[in-house]
Amino acid sequence: MLIARLAVMMFLQFFVWGSWYVSTGNFILNGSGWNDAAGVTGWAYSVAPIAAILAPLFLGMVADRFFASERVLAGLMLLGAVAMAAVPTVLGQNPSDDDTTLYLLLLFGHSLCFMPTLGLTNTVAFSHISNPEKQFPIVRVFGTLGWIVGSILVSKWETWFGAADWTGPDLEAGVGQYWVTAAASLALAVYSLSLPHTPPPAKGQASTPADLLGFGAIGMMKDRSFAVFMIASGLLCIPLAGYYGFANGFLGDSGFEDPGFNMSFGQMSEVLFMLAMPFAFARLGVKWMLAAGMGAWVLRYGLFSAAADGGPLDGDASKALILGGVILHGICYDFFFVTGQIYTEKRAPAGLRGQAQGFLVLITQGVGLLIGAQLFGLLAGAYTTETADAVVRDWPSIWLWPCIAAAVILALFCVLFRDRLSDAQRAELAATGEDTGGPPPATDPGTGGMPAGEHG
């Protein structure tokens, strides 16, 4: 019963995220009519990384020290619901260029409320399950399912339920989608009050902003392998940002009738590859797992560029190739992001693991995605031509640049990354009862096995 209650919490949380984050790019690029659609898209997908940078400060300085986690979760989701409900209320069905600043501020307000809840739901879950290694993956997979259901519902609404005044002619390309997000946020706010009481986990503990942002782990950058990993991860997130912000609009321009539905195949593959990760670790090790994840991003962008309208593979099979690039999301996300979290857990000393994970999030999903969203907005704008009848985007060129960038980062990573646990690190892991994977052979590229408590 408890696992089911936590699974519902996780489902609703990621339903909220998936109901707008996937389709917002399609709304801005193909539904808003805004003149600087590419620039607005860049900023719309910058608000979450900014909020991700600020979230640890709120969690560590306020939420984790003074208030019960389930009540903070309820309050934040309620405020997030208000921000999202304000978007269609203020903009209406026909937004003007004068509305863009207010629109972005409302998205930022929602993101400021939502991003801290990613840590809060983990706190609630881990505080009430007895076997995290076995029980948390069951709870967490419902988050992925929530994302899938949220994005599909917005994409297929007219097909299943028909259009209404609040949806407009196309919910996925209109402001009505934010009503769905607001309703789901309100539902989670109410449901959170029924969750088991979770006292503030850091009550009475001293902390500084530097600690909360993970700056205490900067000393780990003296280790060449960790520094290469961290720098490569941050750099790779710059071209990665284009997928989150522009892939949905790209699918719409490429003739996909329900872009959000087709994008959900990426999350479906994520579930499958998550199950395959333990087997891949045993055979590849950390280095080649990370390299495979990076390589999948190169392949994805290569497929997008080649199969886009006007690309060298544009033709009858172009949609299948584009969909193949979407389905690569399982490798792109699991082998890169989740493996990176596991590697960080293995490399960091026991007393710095929390800060090391926070530093990784700051560099990748904070700084990297923020820079990437801004640069990709400029890139897409540079390859956009407006005519009297239509807005034309040179998608082959737009996707070629992140393909090249990801390929260069992959090559440098493969050459420079030489990781192997030291005897001292293995001794520390052994002392904490974690699996060290045994002494690696001379050709072993990294470490194998998933660390205890890893929840990717």
Side-chain angles (χ1 to χ4, degrees):
M1 182 64 179
L2 176 61
I3 297 300
R5 293 169 66 189
L6 296 175
V8 171
M9 172 192 72
M10 203 69 73
F11 179 91
L12 288 173
Q13 181 186 41
F14 280 82
F15 181 102
V16 169
W17 205 357
S19 65
W20 76 273
Y21 202 73
V22 175
S23 50
T24 280
N26 194 26
F27 159 63
I28 299 174
L29 294 172
N30 298 320
S32 69
W34 288 328
N35 288 326
D36 186 21
V40 176
T41 302
W43 276 107
Y45 285 90
S46 296
V47 296
I50 295 173
I53 294 173
L54 299 176
L57 296 175
F58 172 78
L59 286 175
M61 301 297 287
V62 181
D64 285 351
R65 298 174 66 190
F66 299 109
F67 304 103
S69 297
E70 78 280 1
R71 296 187 179 276
V72 178
L73 177 62
L76 289 175
M77 295 310 299
L78 178 60
L79 292 174
V82 172
M84 276 305 190
V87 174
T89 301
V90 173
L91 267 63
Q93 292 293 341
N94 298 297
S96 68
D97 285 318
D98 295 334
D99 296 325
T100 56
T101 299
L102 179 59
Y103 168 74
L104 293 171
L105 288 174
L106 290 173
L107 288 190
F108 184 49
H110 172 81
S111 297
L112 282 175
C113 295
F114 181 84
M115 296 309 289
T117 69
L118 296 175
L120 285 170
T121 52
N122 284 349
T123 297
V124 172
F126 280 110
S127 297
H128 298 284
I129 56 180
S130 58
N131 192 333
E133 291 82 3
K134 292 184 178 180
Q135 293 173 313
F136 186 78
I138 298 173
V139 173
R140 177 58 182 83
V141 77
F142 276 86
T144 299
L145 294 176
W147 178 291
I148 293 171
V149 173
S151 62
I152 291 179
L153 181 64
V154 170
S155 182
K156 289 288 190 179
W157 186 279
E158 289 80 19
T159 302
W160 293 343
F161 308 109
D165 290 341
W166 68 272
T167 67
D170 184 356
L171 183 64
E172 186 175 5
V175 294
Q177 62 184 276
Y178 301 109
W179 283 120
V180 178
T181 306
S185 298
L186 180 60
L188 181 53
V190 174
Y191 181 76
S192 297
L193 298 176
S194 72
L195 291 171
H197 178 61
T198 309
K203 186 176 182 179
Q205 297 180 15
S207 59
T208 67
D211 291 337
L212 298 173
L213 291 172
F215 289 166
I218 289 180
M220 292 178 62
M221 297 291 282
K222 296 177 182 178
D223 181 329
R224 171 182 153 171
S225 294
F226 185 81
V228 169
F229 157 73
M230 192 65 71
I231 293 171
S233 296
L235 289 176
L236 191 66
C237 280
I238 295 175
L240 263 56
Y243 177 78
Y244 298 113
F246 289 84
N248 191 280
F250 166 59
L251 264 63
D253 283 354
S254 299
F256 287 83
E257 292 184 1
D258 299 300
F261 171 73
N262 287 280
M263 290 280 288
S264 70
F265 285 106
Q267 277 65 46
M268 295 177 194
S269 74
E270 182 185 328
V271 176
L272 297 177
F273 280 101
M274 185 73 74
L275 297 175
M277 283 193 68
F279 304 99
F281 262 109
R283 289 159 179 79
L284 297 177
V286 167
K287 176 176 181 176
W288 298 113
M289 287 279 286
L290 290 168
M294 295 178 181
W297 283 98
V298 177
L299 179 58
R300 160 182 276 173
Y301 285 147
L303 289 173
F304 282 3
S305 178
D309 186 20
L313 298 182
D314 180 21
D316 295 337
S318 59
K319 282 190 176 181
L321 294 173
I322 292 172
L323 189 59
V326 171
I327 293 174
L328 282 171
H329 189 72
I331 303 178
C332 292
Y333 184 85
D334 293 340
F335 281 32
F336 176 65
F337 282 108
V338 178
T339 300
Q341 293 165 358
I342 293 171
Y343 170 74
T344 301
E345 187 81 4
K346 286 287 190 181
R347 294 297 300 187
L352 282 179
R353 287 178 186 166
Q355 292 197 46
Q357 293 288 359
F359 188 53
L360 177 63
V361 171
L362 174 67
I363 294 298
T364 56
Q365 300 189 51
V367 177
L369 288 182
L370 173 60
I371 295 173
Q374 289 294 303
L375 291 180
F376 218 93
L378 296 174
L379 174 66
Y383 285 100
T384 298
T385 303
E386 297 186 24
T387 66
D389 301 323
V391 175
V392 180
R393 298 180 182 90
D394 181 4
W395 287 113
S397 298
I398 291 173
W399 293 122
L400 180 61
W401 284 106
C403 177
I404 294 173
V408 171
I409 296 167
L410 169 62
L412 291 174
F413 174 81
C414 290
V415 171
L416 298 175
F417 188 82
R418 292 285 187 273
D419 184 60
R420 193 172 290 110
L421 286 178
S422 67
D423 292 339
Q425 288 167 325
R426 289 189 176 280
E428 182 179 359
L429 288 173
T432 61
E434 297 189 34
D435 176 23
T436 64
T443 57
D444 183 32
T447 62
M450 296 183 69
E454 174 57 46
H455 49 84

